[in-house]
Amino acid sequence: MWYFSWILGVLLACSLGIINVLRLEAQLALVKENEVLDPLTRLLCRDSMMTRIAEKVDNSRRSGLPFSLLYISLRDFKVKHALLDHEMDTTLLRVVETMKKDIRVGVDIAARVGEEAFLLALPGASQDRAERIAHKLQSDIHAQVKTPGNIAAEARVSVVEYSDHAGQFRVDGLNTAEEAEKLLTIAKVQLDELAA
């Protein structure tokens, strides 16, 4: 008789463990579903992207593999060409469509981080590979994205590689979120240098 009580106890413990695992998976799925997206482009917003970049920094620290960021900006494009809001929205959506052609689904992460700026994280991509993608993306945007007034979009793209094993960004005392912010700052500075 004690066998049945023991077996029943084991089955109950296993089922509770399975229920907890399923509950955890459901919570993780809910968090992913509720990541804040930009309402226009349906890409991640800046805060969600910075969280994901911090995860990539942590992954790079553990694995030693690099990842790269592309900072894509159409800086002052709306003002320069006196575009109306809906014309700029259409242009931004076309830029996103073009970006999606050049990214790996389920691997690369894209976000809108400013009114006319995007960030693309390329896990496992070295600086050379990221620069090739940046050049292609810049060319594709110029060739394929036109405003409703048929003006070609002018994007600037800067590339930053995070490589923990090279010690390029690792500063003692910085946590992964601070390193992610540092990467974004470096990408913006490089973009400013390109514009000058």
Side-chain angles (χ1 to χ4, degrees), residues 7-178:
I7 291 173
L8 187 58
V10 169
L11 290 174
L12 182 61
C14 289
S15 63
L16 289 175
I18 291 171
I19 289 170
N20 284 335
V21 168
L22 293 175
R23 185 178 300 138
L24 180 61
E25 287 178 3
Q27 287 172 340
L28 291 174
L30 184 62
V31 166
K32 275 210 179 268
E33 285 177 15
N34 290 325
E35 281 186 317
V36 181
L37 300 179
D38 176 64
L40 175 67
T41 63
R42 305 303 300 160
L43 297 177
L44 291 177
C45 72
R46 185 190 187 286
D47 292 340
S48 295
M49 183 61 155
M50 296 313 293
T51 300
R52 300 291 292 276
I53 292 172
E55 291 170 5
K56 298 304 171 199
V57 166
D58 188 49
N59 291 345
S60 182
R61 283 180 177 180
R62 283 187 276 116
S63 69
L65 296 174
F67 76 91
S68 295
L69 293 178
L70 273 60
Y71 190 86
I72 304 146
S73 177
L74 284 89
R75 180 181 300 176
D76 301 326
F77 188 71
K78 179 181 177 182
V79 173
K80 182 178 175 184
H81 297 289
L83 297 177
L84 300 173
D85 287 343
H86 72 278
E87 292 173 324
M88 190 62 197
D89 289 349
T90 301
T91 303
L92 292 172
L93 290 172
R94 290 177 181 160
V95 169
V96 170
E97 288 173 18
T98 304
M99 282 174 45
K100 287 182 177 180
K101 293 176 189 175
D102 291 323
I103 64 175
R104 301 167 292 177
V105 176
V107 178
D108 299 334
I109 308 163
R112 184 177 179 193
V113 294
E115 189 174 331
E116 299 177 14
F118 301 94
L119 196 59
L120 188 58
L122 306 171
S126 66
Q127 179 91 18
D128 291 339
R129 182 171 179 273
E131 285 177 357
R132 286 193 302 272
I133 292 169
H135 180 70
K136 181 181 183 319
L137 187 57
Q138 191 171 14
S139 297
D140 289 351
I141 288 171
H142 185 73
Q144 299 171 15
V145 178
K146 308 284 189 239
T147 66
N150 207 27
I151 301 167
E154 303 156 5
R156 291 189 182 94
V157 183
S158 67
V159 177
V160 178
E161 178 192 74
Y162 179 89
S163 178
D164 187 53
H165 64 275
Q168 183 178 7
F169 293 102
R170 185 69 181 269
V171 176
D172 290 334
L174 285 185
N175 64 33
T176 55
E178 291 168 328

